Amino acid sequence: MGCGENGLMPLPKIIDNERSSMLEVLRSLSTEHEKVSIATGYWDLGAISLLLEELDSLKEIRLLIGREPLIPRHKLQAPEGDFPERDFQFDLAHVEQSSDIRKAADKVTEWISSGKLRVRVFTKTFLHAKTYIFGDFESNNAVGVIGSSNFTKNGLTQNTELNALENDYK
């Protein structure tokens, strides 16, 4: 592979966490953009922790997350009254206790308070989509990654995934 016009190695079109890692692609894209919009079925603080420096440098982060697809919940006509609060409390009680995770949790709190991070929870049906869009409609260099990687530590680093990068923003 030759270098791209900006002097950096060109990004792979296919990202599978074996030949190319989703984490490295997201790191690279974060340095070239001010905004990211992510739709994911799942997310975790491990993913935030891995990308903490890159996400902190962005001006805007939008995160659309789905609810856990437990079969009884999936069949419900309406979401439970305590969703997603009960799920967040459970996840936080069982998360790996480390300084990196604590730092990520503190940053998420800071970003939400400042309006930099906007989080929406999709409760209508099971959200299975995974999309990462850097830039927006006004950008002349927007890039999207569409595929199977959830915004989780394992989804970005070690799970066998298949994602496609698209940079035709027209």
Side-chain angles (χ1 to χ4, degrees):
M1 267 189 221
C3 288
E5 54 189 65
N6 60 2
L8 302 173
M9 292 298 289
L11 293 170
K13 287 289 198 180
I14 301 296
I15 306 146
D16 61 6
N17 284 342
E18 187 174 319
R19 293 180 304 158
S20 56
S21 95
M22 187 68 165
L23 175 61
E24 292 308 316
V25 169
L26 296 181
R27 280 184 173 152
S28 180
L29 290 170
S30 294
T31 65
E32 300 173 17
H33 296 87
E34 295 181 344
K35 299 177 181 182
V36 65
S37 299
I38 301 169
T40 184
Y42 304 102
W43 76 282
D44 64 22
L45 286 171
I48 300 284
S49 177
L50 290 172
L51 288 164
L52 194 61
E53 185 177 319
E54 291 82 4
L55 293 172
D56 202 32
S57 70
L58 297 173
K59 290 185 178 176
E60 182 180 330
I61 306 164
R62 298 184 323 153
L63 180 61
L64 176 65
I65 58 175
R67 61 183 173 150
E68 192 168 345
L70 300 175
I71 298 222
R73 288 185 180 177
H74 188 62
K75 291 182 178 181
L76 292 174
Q77 294 296 319
E80 307 85 336
D82 62 356
F83 176 81
E85 291 82 6
R86 189 179 71 189
D87 296 72
F88 292 154
Q89 290 170 353
F90 179 85
D91 289 347
L92 288 171
H94 293 87
V95 73
E96 163 197 351
Q97 297 296 316
S98 72
S99 61
D100 288 343
I101 295 298
R102 183 69 193 157
K103 185 188 275 186
D106 290 343
K107 271 296 181 186
V108 166
T109 302
E110 175 188 317
W111 295 337
I112 289 172
S113 295
S114 72
K116 173 181 180 161
L117 171 60
R118 293 184 296 162
V119 180
R120 299 286 185 258
V121 180
F122 189 81
T123 59
K124 294 179 183 164
T125 60
F126 174 49
L127 175 69
H128 195 59
K130 290 92 174 174
T131 305
Y132 303 79
I133 301 170
F134 288 85
D136 56 24
F137 286 115
E138 288 78 37
S139 301
N140 63 359
N141 66 341
V143 176
V145 179
I146 302 158
S148 64
S149 290
N150 277 304
F151 192 50
T152 63
K153 179 179 179 180
N154 288 344
L156 301 183
T157 60
Q158 65 187 38
N159 290 352
T160 301
E161 303 285 359
L162 187 57
N163 300 283
L165 183 138
E166 181 56 63
N167 58 1
D168 184 5
Y169 53 86
K170 298 174 186 172

